[in-house]
Amino acid sequence: MPLINADALVLNPREAETVSEVIFERVFNDSDLAEYHEVETGIDVKTQIAFATRLGLLGKETQGCTPNEADGFSLTQKYWEPVLEDFRLKHCQTDMPALLKLFRKSQRINPDFFDLVGSQELGVIIAAVESALVENIHRKVWFNDKTAATVANSGVFTNGTDLGYFNSFDGLFKQIFAEVPTSAANYVAIAKNAGTTYAAQVLDEDAALGIFEKMVTKADERLVSADDVFILASRSLADNYRASLRNKNLGSGFLEVVEEGRQKLYFDGIEVKVRYDWDRYIKDYQNNGTKYHLPHRAVLTTKSNIPVGTLSEEDLTKLDVFYDKTLRTNIMDAAYSIDAKHLEPYMTVAAY
């Protein structure tokens, strides 16, 4: 099967001449990982993450010659366990005769007709793969689950999903659901997630306003005072909150503003980052045909509390592109190590 299907292209009076004139379907999240996560590099298998509890009360009135003994602190640990993932895409020039016309005016003369490395044609493929790779890393970081199962097998993933794309390591939702369970003090329930139909899962008016308020109220003082605190929210919650902003005068800390040419949403002075990609992944991959699995989600935390670990950050965005003469095939390889960690539960409030 050809890597690109170009059969829909037809001859026009003037064809596109360069890669910049090809309009790609947009990805669902092309943001850098660093917008949402601290990215730890040099991470290898079983790299230790050590935690120290804080010291308690210190200092009592001196009694005699014996100093007052203070309580100590304890150490706990987690481990980075990055997995190695890879993929390969192959493209042969003869697979796609229809695409040749697209770059007729910019095609260089090449002693080897099949070698497209450095060409405009292969540039189209590389651009598409690099943007998709970023999107897929975001998906893995949040939705991966080592015990992933489809609905037919008592899981939450859409029937027919290739679970090999989801089960290499545990993503952040899997970890947060375990460490901030429904019984935890820093959990906020979203009642509509329990709806048994798509219609029954639609949020009531001002629902997000109440959910965000409960999240901030339940947050540890160390979390709400952190410099990098934010709320990550599904589009469903963000849209519901925006509707409330349009109908209410909540003050300067509750607004949507344009900063540096970009729309930003705030709740009580805390930025709300809208994760449009979450909604898409839930609809596509956690859908039983009648309802979605937890379609409304929000996480109040910090970048430093949900880091992503890798051996090299460059591996997450770069391709190895080469031509194999024996196969007359242009090959794009990617390999990277990756893991994600939810570090300290008290630095998170989860709504789901």
Side-chain angles (χ1 to χ4, degrees):
M1 176 181 173
L3 185 56
I4 304 176
N5 185 340
D7 293 342
L9 293 176
V10 296
L11 288 173
N12 295 307
R14 186 171 181 271
E15 291 86 16
E17 297 178 10
T18 67
V19 119
S20 63
E21 295 179 22
V22 178
I23 300 174
F24 290 104
E25 183 173 334
R26 293 179 180 270
V27 298
F28 286 84
N29 191 343
D30 58 1
S31 298
D32 292 336
L33 280 173
E35 180 175 346
Y36 311 111
H37 312 275
E38 294 289 351
V39 180
E40 303 288 343
T41 57
I43 300 301
D44 209 341
V45 176
K46 288 295 182 182
T47 300
Q48 185 185 57
I49 308 169
F51 301 91
T53 59
R54 63 185 179 87
L55 283 168
L57 300 175
L58 298 173
K60 295 180 179 178
E61 182 180 356
T62 300
Q63 302 288 338
C65 296
T66 303
N68 291 298
E69 294 284 344
D71 292 332
F73 62 93
S74 59
L75 295 172
T76 58
Q77 65 187 13
K78 289 184 178 180
Y79 286 102
W80 286 109
E81 297 181 286
V83 297
L84 183 63
E85 297 188 346
D86 65 64
F87 64 84
R88 167 171 287 184
L89 295 171
K90 297 187 292 185
H91 173 63
C92 176
Q93 176 74 323
T94 56
D95 285 342
M96 312 222 28
L99 191 62
L100 297 181
K101 72 177 186 65
L102 190 62
F103 305 106
R104 182 185 302 158
K105 296 177 183 177
S106 59
Q107 187 175 356
R108 61 190 172 89
I109 301 300
N110 193 321
D112 192 333
F113 173 79
F114 297 93
D115 185 353
L116 299 179
V117 174
S119 71
Q120 288 284 330
E121 180 178 342
L122 199 64
V124 172
I125 301 171
I126 292 171
V129 174
E130 286 181 341
S131 62
L133 178 55
V134 172
E135 180 180 344
N136 274 272
I137 294 297
H138 284 294
R139 173 182 54 77
K140 290 173 178 293
V141 163
W142 283 97
F143 287 86
N144 260 24
D145 182 346
K146 288 196 288 189
T147 59
T150 60
V151 172
N153 292 298
S154 302
V156 300
F157 282 87
T158 306
N159 289 333
T161 300
D162 186 342
L163 298 178
Y165 291 112
F166 290 89
N167 61 11
S168 54
F169 64 95
D170 280 337
L172 290 170
F173 278 131
K174 175 71 177 290
Q175 297 174 54
I176 289 171
F177 294 160
E179 296 182 341
V180 188
T182 57
S183 58
N186 52 338
Y187 162 75
V188 174
I190 301 180
K192 286 293 185 175
N193 277 338
T196 56
T197 65
Y198 303 130
Q201 291 182 316
V202 175
L203 292 169
D204 294 330
E205 184 177 343
D206 296 331
L209 184 63
I211 290 165
F212 292 162
E213 184 176 11
K214 289 177 183 176
M215 293 178 74
V216 174
T217 300
K218 289 193 171 192
D220 188 283
E221 289 74 17
R222 291 164 287 184
L223 171 56
V224 292
S225 63
D227 292 336
D228 57 344
V229 64
F230 52 40
I231 297 173
L232 300 176
S234 60
R235 175 189 175 180
S236 59
L237 285 170
D239 286 352
N240 187 273
Y241 176 51
R242 286 191 180 106
S244 296
L245 293 181
R246 287 192 291 269
N247 298 320
K248 300 178 186 297
N249 183 10
L250 300 176
S252 60
F254 303 80
L255 41 80
E256 187 169 23
V257 299
V258 177
E259 294 182 8
E260 300 175 351
R262 182 176 179 182
Q263 206 84 0
K264 289 190 175 183
L265 192 63
Y266 289 90
F267 179 86
D268 200 14
I270 299 172
E271 185 176 359
V272 179
K273 292 182 177 286
V274 188
R275 295 303 302 261
Y276 296 98
D277 54 327
W278 288 2
D279 295 74
R280 181 260 174 147
Y281 303 143
I282 292 168
K283 290 174 182 176
D284 284 358
Y285 304 113
Q286 297 193 343
N287 178 358
N288 73 358
T290 303
K291 64 183 181 68
Y292 303 119
H293 176 63
L294 305 177
H296 316 297
R297 308 183 189 190
V299 178
L300 173 64
T301 190
T302 65
K303 287 172 58 171
S304 54
N305 199 45
I306 49 173
V308 171
T310 181
L311 188 61
S312 169
E313 188 173 357
E314 189 175 85
D315 291 341
L316 301 178
T317 57
K318 297 298 183 184
L319 300 175
D320 181 18
V321 182
F322 59 95
Y323 174 65
D324 188 320
K325 280 191 173 185
T326 61
L327 300 175
R328 289 185 175 177
T329 299
N330 300 274
I331 297 174
M332 288 145 286
D333 276 353
Y336 51 86
S337 63
I338 187 169
D339 193 13
K341 279 288 176 282
H342 180 236
L343 297 183
E344 298 178 289
Y346 74 86
M347 287 294 286
T348 294
V349 177
Y352 58 89

